[in-house]
Amino acid sequence: MNTKAIIGKYLPLDTVIHKLDPRLKFLANILFIVLFFIAEHFITLIILISFIMITYVIATKSIRSVFKKILTPLYIALFILFVNMLTIKGAAGPEGTAYIPLAGETNIDGYVFYRGQTIVNDIYWAPFGIDKPFQLTKFTLLRTASIFVRIYAVILTTTTLTVTTKPVLLTKAINDLLLPFKLIRIPTEIITMIISISLRFIPTLLDEANRIMKAQSSRGVDFKHGKIKDKFKSFIVLIVPLFVSSFNKANDLSDAMISRGYQPYAKRSHYRQLVPKWYDLLALLLIMGLTALVIVTKIDSVNLPWWWLKTFQRV
């Protein structure tokens, strides 16, 4: 079986991650994304992402796929590194020595205070001078690395959810979680149906795009080489038939649902009932433990080890 995980494509494997309650997985997905963006230390991020990587490997039974997904956030990180080198100015004295800027100076990236200590933005490389843009500084590297880790973690987290949860179960989970909104007469069934159809068509449209690219390539269209103008024309050749195909599939789906008597505002019953199991409780306790870890590390009154504090990255 091909375990190459694509966002939105369910992998029919028999793992403990697949058996977890989809409501728990959906809420855990949102929670972990929040935790990744509020964590303040690299060690905390490493613990969180290690847990997600282990979960992903168990869910997909593929170690290779974990490393393949590094490429996309790596390209984004390289672009962000270039932007940060243009926008972040380090703290340096007249002779290039690090110093703490005075209050009246305009360089807001010169230093940051954390738990009574001053972290100075040292300059590592400044080819055009320490008072000019395009500098490689401590804050440049820390911010770029933290963004890279967070983007990679979000990709793994969302992919783990989609490859281990059937679209119909994910729709049922979202519908159950939106149940309180029925009290204020919000049509939750229609919302969940829209989400379900969207998730279902993501892998379909990706396959359709690959098929169109192969068909156009056989006709002499080059998607990889040439000038920017030529690539833009190639992109139009791809996007136009993809849009036409999408609208045709949407019309066919609409006709199929109408012919089967689908009524969006009718009272609905559910064939599948989601019941939590004992392993859902274990997973919940583990998630609560990781959440507590992130919260504790953010409390200034908690005495963390010095080597933990050294990995502070919110600069």
Side-chain angles (χ1 to χ4, degrees):
M1 180 181 294
N2 183 13
T3 57
K4 183 180 179 182
I6 301 175
I7 294 179
K9 188 173 184 179
Y10 171 73
L11 295 180
L13 302 176
D14 185 18
T15 69
V16 65
I17 311 299
H18 284 69
K19 297 177 181 178
L20 290 177
D21 193 307
R23 295 169 294 185
L24 175 63
K25 288 189 285 187
F26 184 80
L27 292 177
N29 182 78
I30 298 175
L31 176 62
F32 272 103
I33 291 175
V34 174
L35 293 179
F36 279 120
F37 281 92
I38 67 174
E40 292 185 340
H41 305 87
F42 276 115
I43 292 183
T44 309
L45 287 174
I46 290 174
I47 293 174
L48 291 175
I49 199 172
S50 298
F51 173 76
I52 294 299
M53 291 176 70
I54 293 173
T55 304
Y56 181 85
V57 171
I58 294 174
T60 60
K61 297 182 179 179
S62 172
I63 299 178
R64 238 169 101 190
S65 146
V66 175
F67 298 101
K68 282 185 177 180
K69 292 195 174 297
I70 294 180
L71 292 178
T72 300
L74 182 61
Y75 294 145
I76 298 175
L78 291 176
F79 174 75
I80 293 175
L81 175 63
F82 178 77
V83 173
N84 286 339
M85 291 180 67
L86 291 174
T87 57
I88 298 177
K89 185 179 178 183
E95 297 180 359
T97 57
Y99 80 117
I100 301 176
L102 299 176
E105 295 185 344
T106 59
N107 183 14
I108 60 175
D109 292 314
Y111 66 100
V112 67
F113 286 115
Y114 176 65
R115 297 199 180 193
Q117 296 183 351
T118 302
I119 304 176
V120 181
N121 186 16
D122 299 320
I123 298 176
Y124 298 142
W125 183 54
F128 304 110
I130 59 175
D131 57 339
K132 303 292 184 182
F134 201 76
Q135 300 177 357
L136 183 64
T137 66
K138 178 188 290 186
F139 288 7
T140 298
L141 296 176
L142 289 178
R143 293 180 186 180
T144 304
S146 65
I147 292 174
F148 165 74
V149 173
R150 287 184 171 94
I151 295 176
Y152 178 58
V154 169
I155 291 175
L156 284 184
T157 304
T158 53
T159 306
T160 303
L161 172 67
T162 54
V163 301
T164 61
T165 311
K166 293 180 180 179
V168 63
L169 292 179
L170 187 57
T171 303
K172 180 66 170 64
I174 296 174
N175 188 47
D176 288 352
L177 295 174
L178 293 178
L179 190 61
F181 290 97
K182 285 187 177 181
L183 299 176
I184 53 178
R185 298 185 178 277
I186 293 180
T188 57
E189 287 86 0
I190 297 178
I191 296 175
T192 53
M193 178 60 70
I194 293 172
I195 295 174
S196 174
I197 293 175
S198 301
L199 293 175
R200 172 62 184 84
F201 270 89
I202 289 175
T204 302
L205 292 179
L206 290 175
D207 294 339
E208 185 72 13
N210 290 329
R211 186 186 66 80
I212 293 174
M213 287 183 65
K214 291 179 181 178
Q216 299 291 6
S217 298
S218 66
R219 294 178 174 88
V221 179
D222 190 355
F223 291 96
K224 297 182 180 180
H225 305 92
K227 300 179 181 179
I228 298 179
K229 183 179 179 181
D230 298 331
K231 291 184 177 180
F232 182 75
K233 290 181 179 179
S234 302
F235 179 76
I236 294 177
V237 171
L238 170 65
I239 203 68
V240 170
L242 184 61
F243 265 100
V244 173
S245 176
S246 302
F247 285 119
N248 289 335
K249 290 181 183 299
N251 289 329
D252 293 341
L253 178 61
S254 175
D255 294 339
M257 294 175 70
I258 293 175
S259 65
R260 287 168 173 80
Y262 175 73
Q263 295 293 333
Y265 292 98
K267 186 177 180 180
R268 307 186 63 81
S269 60
H270 299 280
Y271 169 73
R272 294 176 175 83
Q273 299 297 328
L274 300 178
V275 181
K277 303 293 192 305
W278 62 269
Y279 42 78
D280 294 316
L281 178 60
L282 292 179
L284 178 61
L285 293 176
L286 185 57
I287 293 170
M288 291 175 60
L290 293 173
T291 305
L293 172 67
V294 176
I295 295 174
V296 167
T297 57
K298 288 180 65 66
I299 301 175
D300 291 341
S301 59
V302 176
N303 294 323
L304 297 174
W306 64 269
W307 45 268
W308 196 302
L309 297 176
K310 284 291 185 182
T311 62
F312 178 74
Q313 45 81 18
R314 282 198 173 276
V315 293

